[in-house]
Amino acid sequence: MSILGTRVVRVEDPRMLRGEAVYTADVRDERLAGAAHVTYVRSLVAHATLGTVDTEAARAMPGVIDVIVGADIDLDPIAPERPVDNPAMARPFLAVDRVRFVGEPVAAVLTETVAQGADAAEAVLVDYEALPAVVDPEDAAADEVLLFPGAGTNLAIELDDGRDDDLFAGCEVVVTERLVNQRVAAVPLEGRASAAAWIDGRATLWVSTQNAHDVRDGLAEHYDLEPSQVHVIVPDVGGGFGAKIGAHPEDLLLPWLARRIGRPVRWSETRSENLVAMGQGRAQVQLVEIGGRRDGTVLAYRLSVLQDSGAYPDVGATLPSLTRMMAPGTYAFERVECATSSVVTTTTPVIAYRGAGRPEATAAVERAMDLFAAEVGLDPVEVRRTNLRPPFAEPVTNQMGTAYDCGDYEHALDEALAAAGYEALRAEQDRRRAAGDPIALGIGVSTYVEVTAGPTAESEHARIDVLTDGSAVVRTGASPHGQGLGTAFAMVASAGTGIPVERIVVVHGDTDEVARGGGTMGSRSLQLGGAAVDAVAGAVVDRARRLAADLLEAAPEDVVVDRARGRFHVAGTPAVDVGWVEVAARAEADGAPLTEEADFQAGQPTFPFGAHVAVVEVDTETGDARLRRLVAADDAGRILNPLLAEGQRHGGLAQGVGQALYEQVAFDADGNPRTATLVDYAIPSAPDLPGFELVAVATPTTVNPLGAKGIGESATIGSAPAVQSAVCDALAHLGVRHIDMPCTPERVWRAIRAATG
């Protein structure tokens, strides 16, 4: 029996529970001996011409080694995430001439201690000549206030294939709604942290990131070095959620600072810094238009997206391309259009956040389906059934040219509805409404499909070394930050070789130890990294079989691998065998250690899918909305470890609920953050969440040999629109049509009052 598919407890946990985890701020490496501490002076103004930055008083304070301003730095600015028509939108490491958001680094103070840095940073005097702020992306699109005058516009990227004026021809009903998919913060338990040193002419960076090799290559580019001249080390990472995909300007500047003062440097941000300066997510204004027949058939759907990119066009500016490719979701609409544009605003830059572009697509189309169902007077579930794409086992192409690998969307919906007891819930809702109960019951349903390990075919690297004691070391280019990849990859290697999981060590996050890698994002790790481990395990076994054949004096094709015992024997004579110890020793004696490596290349992305049902109660007198149940059917193909998958689903559901009910990064009209602490930025805690009800559904993919799709983001994508729809549904009998996320008590109360007069 294979270990794959079983509930193996995480091998990473004992070390962490004993307090032995080492995060970047905890690193005590002799190469960092005598490190100076970096404190960034951050702009207190959202938009201003930068005048004098007076560092004289700070330099005179105890423990101050140096104070650096933007004009001191001779590195090229950071170019936008992908080529745009306006290279003027590049980001300096420290602000030069102009600041564009509150929290932008203006100076770097280097001190002997952290406390000295905090004091000295306050002594740096910055002369700001205020400029008008532009916080709303719709205002930014008007180009009346330009962040980059040299660019001549605030538009960073636009994707538009043209508009068909006859898109809704033949529709009996057309519904239009403006939606806001609000800006949210990742809030990892571990904020950003890094440390740098120059060792024998090489730049070494310790950094909390999701992608060591990407950071290495970025440093090499900025510092005009070969990748071999850069060493990136990723200690334990306390959460990423997309916001740590690469390195931030504050991280990338550390080697320059270390070289400047001739000694190592360290930096760790505070929670308030994290909430105002770390890249944030979502931040789309959407216009949905949906039309069809009164029998519930949707004929046409148009999605227009305006992406708030924040002050600099980082990853967030490109994310509407993912929203666009997934715009029709699970539905077989006849006609679909999607146009997107990304603009800069005087706010914190937008980067990736769990789901990154795909939750925005699902939220739009699912709200559109609910609005259409309400307009034609049909149950939202029946309207979904009418329009769902039928089951398919071979790739099909959606209306935006995206090739889905396989799916059975109605099955996932049926399973979720059955587990929730949908008909009984509707009956209870009718009873409460008839009784005039002030505690309204709402039922929200969503279906979703998302892209993982994409949108283009990607690859991942793995290597296995079998040691002479029979243990093994697996090296992977993937990078865990809470997913349990050490357990998952050890399971895959064990299944392939027969070496017990407890005798397998997984190495990651060190560019000197792992030749190459794509990191962890887009739910790619198991289907690419795991498939690479599976491939290299097969290569190791093939070579071991040849070595065993020599030891057993047999032909390689006659040697059988007994994976249950981790032994090799000649077919028909299991009593005479050799194990990994003997095989590895033979390889060592031959001068060629038992080491193999492989890169797995996926032919296309995979497309997990599912359906969620949310049940809420809304106090119509106060606007308080409480989630009572959340039923999730998430199909991620073959599940290799249900325990790990359930953990990913639990975390994803919590973050989806957070966006639906609680979380929103807010700025005032002058661009000042209003959510700079966890007192103001609300995230759900355990008492705010019910016990999640997980429904098992699995449609294995053929894109990789494991049959696995991504599971890391699915639950976030399905849950937020389900919970939002449940709140709207609870109030539909009062005339409430739509409420934007987050459905806070004040927002809900105002919607009720507006609808009831």
Side-chain angles (χ1 to χ4, degrees):
M1 177 180 175
S2 173
I3 193 173
L4 301 183
T6 62
R7 301 177 69 85
V8 176
V9 176
R10 286 168 41 118
V11 299
E12 301 93 332
D13 288 351
R15 181 176 65 89
M16 294 186 174
L17 292 171
R18 290 192 297 264
E20 297 169 2
V22 177
Y23 299 93
T24 302
D26 304 323
V27 171
R28 297 294 178 263
D29 191 297
E30 62 181 13
R31 291 170 289 183
L32 290 173
H37 293 270
V38 178
T39 303
Y40 286 105
V41 179
R42 298 186 180 277
S43 174
L44 301 177
V45 180
H47 195 201
T49 300
L50 191 61
T52 303
V53 180
D54 187 349
T55 64
E56 184 176 352
R59 290 177 183 277
M61 295 186 70
V64 173
I65 301 164
D66 203 351
V67 182
I68 308 301
V69 298
D72 297 327
I73 298 170
D74 56 4
L75 300 174
D76 290 336
I78 302 169
E81 175 65 15
R82 78 180 200 186
V84 294
D85 293 334
N86 296 305
M89 291 184 178
R91 177 175 179 175
F93 287 88
L94 298 175
V96 179
D97 299 330
R98 182 180 291 226
V99 292
R100 296 179 174 88
F101 69 98
V102 171
E104 181 170 6
V106 172
V109 178
L110 295 101
T111 54
E112 298 292 348
T113 70
V114 174
Q116 290 168 341
D119 291 338
E122 290 187 359
V124 175
L125 302 178
V126 184
D127 180 22
Y128 301 104
E129 185 176 336
L131 296 168
V134 56
V135 174
D136 189 307
E138 292 171 307
D139 292 338
D143 285 340
E144 293 178 359
V145 175
L146 295 178
L147 274 71
F148 301 88
T153 179
N154 289 326
L155 180 66
I157 298 172
E158 186 173 32
L159 298 173
D160 189 351
D161 291 334
R163 182 183 180 93
D164 181 1
D165 292 335
D166 296 325
L167 188 71
F168 296 100
C171 294
E172 297 170 349
V173 174
V174 178
V175 182
T176 301
E177 185 65 53
R178 176 185 180 274
L179 313 175
V180 177
N181 202 288
Q182 82 273 27
R183 179 188 288 247
V184 294
V187 198
L189 285 179
E190 179 205 23
R192 296 176 296 171
S194 47
W198 289 87
I199 301 163
D200 298 327
R202 297 179 77 207
T204 300
L205 184 74
W206 292 258
V207 61
S208 181
T209 183
Q210 298 171 217
N211 190 344
H213 293 86
D214 181 66
V215 174
R216 179 199 64 186
D217 295 345
L219 282 171
E221 179 181 356
H222 284 295
Y223 288 84
D224 196 22
L225 300 171
E226 293 297 322
S228 61
Q229 295 175 284
V230 179
H231 183 194
V232 173
I233 303 168
V234 180
D236 291 306
V237 176
F241 310 118
K244 294 182 183 176
I245 281 180
H248 300 80
E250 294 94 332
D251 303 309
L252 295 172
L253 184 58
L254 290 196
W256 189 93
L257 296 172
R259 186 167 58 189
R260 162 99 170 193
I261 66 171
R263 58 193 279 196
V265 296
R266 311 183 72 128
W267 169 67
S268 297
E269 69 178 354
T270 66
R271 179 56 60 188
S272 291
E273 280 184 288
N274 179 270
L275 283 168
V276 301
M278 187 183 198
Q280 297 161 352
R282 308 288 189 258
Q284 287 187 2
V285 177
Q286 304 169 330
L287 181 67
V288 294
E289 300 169 80
I290 187 167
R293 296 193 289 262
R294 293 197 175 275
D295 65 0
T297 303
V298 174
L299 299 177
Y301 173 62
R302 176 185 286 141
L303 173 62
S304 303
V305 175
L306 180 60
Q307 174 71 57
D308 180 354
S309 303
Y312 296 95
D314 205 306
V315 178
T318 71
L319 292 181
S321 62
L322 290 172
T323 305
R324 186 174 183 273
M325 71 180 289
M326 303 306 299
T330 56
Y331 304 110
F333 303 148
E334 185 177 307
R335 303 183 295 273
V336 178
E337 278 185 7
C338 182
T340 74
S341 57
S342 301
V343 296
V344 289
T345 61
T346 55
T347 60
T348 306
V350 173
I351 57 177
Y353 174 67
R354 200 168 192 165
R358 292 101 77 199
E360 296 89 322
T362 299
V365 74
E366 290 303 297
R367 281 305 298 142
M369 290 296 281
D370 280 343
L371 292 164
F372 181 77
E375 189 67 24
V376 298
L378 296 174
D379 185 288
V381 168
E382 293 310 309
V383 172
R384 283 171 170 80
R385 286 191 196 282
T386 298
N387 294 282
L388 282 174
R389 189 176 293 278
F392 56 99
E394 298 294 331
V396 300
T397 301
N398 77 2
Q399 302 90 326
M400 307 309 296
T402 306
Y404 298 166
D405 57 338
C406 59
D408 190 345
Y409 306 145
E410 189 167 8
H411 174 66
L413 178 61
D414 288 342
E415 292 294 309
L417 292 171
Y422 184 73
E423 297 301 328
L425 289 170
R426 286 295 180 199
E428 170 63 12
Q429 183 184 64
D430 291 342
R431 186 196 67 76
R432 291 197 192 190
R433 289 178 175 177
D437 194 330
I439 306 300
L441 188 72
I443 305 112
V445 178
S446 73
T447 67
Y448 72 90
V449 58
E450 67 139 332
V451 56
T452 62
T456 58
E458 298 182 3
S459 66
E460 190 52 88
H461 174 73
R463 171 179 153 182
I464 294 180
D465 301 302
V466 180
L467 309 183
T468 54
D469 64 355
S471 65
V473 176
V474 174
R475 289 175 168 80
T476 175
S479 183
H481 42 279
Q483 302 91 333
L485 296 188
T487 302
F489 289 0
M491 289 175 65
V492 174
S494 177
T497 63
I499 299 173
V501 165
E502 60 270 18
R503 303 218 66 205
I504 298 173
V505 174
V506 177
V507 174
H508 54 83
D510 188 318
T511 58
D512 277 8
E513 290 287 334
V514 182
R516 52 194 170 275
T520 294
M521 72 289 296
S523 302
R524 71 192 298 277
S525 297
L526 184 60
Q527 59 185 301
L528 298 181
V533 172
D534 179 67
V536 77
V540 165
V541 168
D542 287 344
R543 186 171 165 214
R545 182 185 281 112
R546 295 192 297 271
L547 293 166
D550 289 342
L551 293 169
L552 296 169
E553 298 181 345
E557 58 269 21
D558 294 333
V559 174
V560 175
V561 184
D562 183 350
R563 290 181 173 83
R565 298 188 304 125
R567 310 290 293 180
F568 299 83
H569 63 83
V570 177
T573 57
V576 180
D577 61 12
V578 294
W580 285 103
V581 170
E582 296 92 335
V583 169
R586 178 57 179 267
E588 196 77 25
D590 290 346
L594 188 45
T595 297
E596 296 291 334
E597 59 182 277
D599 291 85
F600 176 77
Q601 177 76 45
Q604 71 159 86
T606 63
F607 293 82
F609 61 91
H612 289 191
V613 178
V615 181
V616 303
E617 289 184 327
V618 180
D619 187 330
T620 58
E621 296 175 347
T622 67
D624 185 36
R626 297 295 177 96
L627 179 65
R628 297 307 183 196
R629 294 179 65 193
L630 186 52
V631 180
D634 301 304
D635 193 322
R638 184 185 180 197
I639 301 299
L640 271 67
N641 185 329
L643 192 65
L644 296 181
E646 289 165 10
Q648 286 295 292
R649 294 169 73 187
H650 281 179
L653 290 168
Q655 288 185 298
V657 173
Q659 181 176 10
L661 296 180
Y662 305 106
E663 299 185 40
Q664 180 171 17
V665 173
F667 300 88
D668 68 17
D670 295 321
N672 297 306
R674 297 170 57 193
T675 47
T677 73
L678 291 179
V679 173
D680 305 302
Y681 186 84
I683 57 175
S685 57
D688 301 310
L689 301 169
F692 299 132
E693 301 169 53
L694 305 184
V695 179
V697 284
T699 307
T701 184
T702 59
V703 171
N704 62 73
L706 299 177
K709 303 183 182 186
I711 191 62
E713 296 157 295
S714 293
T716 301
I717 293 168
S719 58
V723 175
Q724 180 189 22
S725 290
V727 174
C728 296
D729 177 71
L731 307 175
H733 66 297
L734 301 178
V736 174
R737 184 171 182 269
H738 172 74
I739 303 174
D740 278 323
M741 299 185 290
C743 299
T744 60
E746 178 184 357
R747 187 169 284 178
V748 172
W749 183 87
R750 290 185 181 279
I752 294 170
R753 294 301 172 269
T756 60

